[in-house]
Amino acid sequence: MNLKYSVGLDVSSKKINACISIIDQKQKVVCKSSTVIANTLKGFATLEDWILKQKKEVLPVVVCMEATGIYHENCAYYLYGKGFDVSIILPNKAKKYLEAIGLKSKNDSIDAKGLSQMGAEQCLELWQPMGPFFYELRLLTRQHQNVTELKTVLKNQLDALSFAMHHLDAVTNQLEQTITLFETQLKELDKEIKAHLKSNKEVHCKAENILKMKGLGVLTLSTVLAETNGFTLFNNYKQLVSYAGYDVVEAQSGARVGKTKISKRGNSRLRRALHMPSLVVIQCQVKPFKDLFDRTYEKHGIKMKSYVAVQKKLLTMIYHLWKKNEAYDVNYQSNIQEEEQKLSSRAIGFEEDTIEKNSPNIEIEATQGKHPVSYRKKFPLGHTNIEKLAK
């Protein structure tokens, strides 16, 4: 008895290699057919017809493809709109799987077949497209990063030219003009990002609450929201920490004990965006982050390790404030401790009042070495047995 169909897609800029397989109850995967289509809207329609033609039985169909920049997005969005279950796999995960099943050669058709087998054997998470708001915000933040990096490259070139034996004004002027152009573009992008956040009232309200945190800016928050799709697909903070590459991994086997460090297997743009805010919150002496920095620095004496811990805490703090729709409060922890002390004191007072009301005329004996029960026959040994044991 067969269980499901799996379609593996290896996507490039101009073409898509497709392979469809089927898996049975004995976990045996059989490749049924393969084809090559164009990475265009017409090609997507051809792919849909080909899948329906190869589907001989009434079984679920899953589509598995690699995340290849942005070349896979149109195809994934088309198939998602047609009702197919689409899973997008990270390239390193797909590579490790293909190596694990013993595929030594590598080309587009082999990759498509391997992805088809991977989708058949495993229960992969289903992909959901980003909404237009966060997709456009991601375009703006990534463009800001690209322009910033280009500006840094040109500034380094201009600085290096100042140490050259001979100077040429034409080259220097051209570099200075390009740097000025990039600075103008960065200012325009900053305005566009702020205007885009204000265009959505709910997002703007939540962002204003989070930005009350000293040391956190609009660009950093926008980058975090854009790269995580507004935390839509995260059920808890641990998934977010793993997605950003802040999860701690061990390297231990037998007597060998390696270094424990963060995995860095995640979205590097998040870690890049949180680097400078982690330095600023420590410089501004923001209490919860400064306490964490001091506590971790005392353990190992490595500043950058403590800054990474602060980055992780910043990310989880943004996540919780966003999910709860609460404003940042510096004294949040101290307020919780005060409330707990009040509740505990009230509970103690309530217990004392209850004892006094329920037993006003009973004297409770609880001296050392003497049991408070005066009627000795209530003991399991009885009164006489206790006297014998005492002798």
Side-chain angles (χ1 to χ4, degrees), residues 30-96:
V30 179
C31 178
K32 289 294 184 180
S33 179
S34 59
T35 186
V36 180
I37 62 166
N39 192 357
T40 59
L41 190 60
K42 186 178 179 180
F44 303 153
T46 305
L47 176 63
E48 181 189 4
D49 294 337
W50 176 77
I51 294 173
L52 296 176
K53 183 180 178 181
Q54 298 300 324
K55 186 181 176 184
K56 306 294 184 182
E57 303 178 42
V58 183
L59 295 172
V61 180
V62 294
V63 181
C64 181
M65 65 178 73
E66 274 187 358
T68 53
I70 60 173
Y71 296 124
H72 68 283
E73 289 183 352
N74 287 328
C75 181
Y77 193 76
Y78 179 88
L79 294 174
Y80 178 85
K82 294 296 181 179
F84 288 96
D85 291 336
V86 181
S87 295
I88 296 179
I89 311 301
L90 293 174
N92 58 347
K93 187 176 180 181
K95 180 183 176 183
K96 296 293 183 184

Side-chain angles (χ1 to χ4, degrees), residues 53-221:
K53 183 180 178 181
Q54 298 300 324
K55 186 181 176 184
K56 306 294 184 182
E57 303 178 42
V58 183
L59 295 172
V61 180
V62 294
V63 181
C64 181
M65 65 178 73
E66 274 187 358
T68 53
I70 60 173
Y71 296 124
H72 68 283
E73 289 183 352
N74 287 328
C75 181
Y77 193 76
Y78 179 88
L79 294 174
Y80 178 85
K82 294 296 181 179
F84 288 96
D85 291 336
V86 181
S87 295
I88 296 179
I89 311 301
L90 293 174
N92 58 347
K93 187 176 180 181
K95 180 183 176 183
K96 296 293 183 184
Y97 176 81
L98 297 179
E99 291 176 353
I101 61 177
L103 294 179
K104 297 179 181 179
S105 300
K106 177 177 173 59
N107 57 43
D108 294 341
S109 59
I110 292 175
D111 290 346
K113 184 179 178 181
L115 289 170
S116 176
Q117 183 174 342
M118 185 179 185
E121 291 180 347
Q122 299 185 11
C123 182
L124 302 172
E125 292 185 7
L126 297 181
W127 173 78
Q128 292 183 6
M130 291 183 70
F133 178 84
F134 288 110
Y135 190 87
E136 292 171 2
L137 182 62
R138 192 178 70 177
L139 290 175
L140 289 170
T141 54
R142 289 189 176 184
Q143 177 65 10
H144 193 286
Q145 178 181 338
N146 294 335
V147 175
T148 303
E149 290 173 353
L150 290 172
K151 175 190 165 186
T152 303
V153 170
L154 293 182
K155 288 185 74 173
N156 291 338
Q157 291 180 7
L158 185 62
D159 183 67
L161 284 176
S162 63
F163 296 93
M165 284 193 305
H166 305 287
H167 299 276
L168 189 62
D169 293 338
V171 175
T172 304
N173 293 336
Q174 195 175 62
L175 287 174
E176 289 176 348
Q177 290 173 6
T178 311
I179 290 171
T180 305
L181 174 63
F182 285 156
E183 288 175 348
T184 305
Q185 290 181 349
L186 288 174
K187 290 179 181 178
E188 292 175 356
L189 285 169
D190 287 333
K191 292 179 181 178
E192 287 290 334
I193 290 171
K194 291 178 181 178
H196 192 72
L197 286 177
K198 290 180 180 178
S199 64
N200 189 312
K201 291 183 180 180
E202 183 182 358
V203 173
H204 180 64
C205 180
K206 289 184 176 182
E208 287 294 321
N209 289 335
I210 298 172
L211 289 173
K212 292 180 180 178
M213 189 188 308
K214 195 173 182 180
L216 191 66
V218 176
L219 181 60
T220 301
L221 180 60

Side-chain angles (χ1 to χ4, degrees), residues 7 35 99 109 113 116 131 152 224 242 291 357 361-362 382:
V7 180
T35 186
E99 291 176 353
S109 59
K113 184 179 178 181
S116 176
T152 303
V224 172
S242 177
D291 294 344
K357 289 178 181 178
N361 299 323
I362 297 175

Side-chain angles (χ1 to χ4, degrees), residues 67 89-93 142 145 223 227-228 234 238-249 261-274 311 315:
I89 311 301
L90 293 174
N92 58 347
K93 187 176 180 181
R142 289 189 176 184
Q145 178 181 338
T223 304
E227 296 298 330
T228 58
F234 299 100
K238 292 182 180 179
Q239 293 178 347
L240 176 63
V241 168
S242 177
Y243 176 75
Y246 285 122
D247 51 328
V248 179
V249 293
K261 56 185 180 180
I262 62 173
S263 67
K264 292 187 179 180
R265 293 180 182 176
N267 194 321
S268 60
R269 297 177 191 271
L270 288 173
R271 299 195 301 274
R272 180 185 183 278
L274 292 168
Q311 293 173 31
L315 182 62

Side-chain angles (χ1 to χ4, degrees), residues 365 370-376 378-379:
E365 299 181 49
K370 187 176 180 182
H371 199 276
V373 178
S374 57
Y375 189 43
R376 296 289 175 153
K378 290 183 179 180
F379 286 109

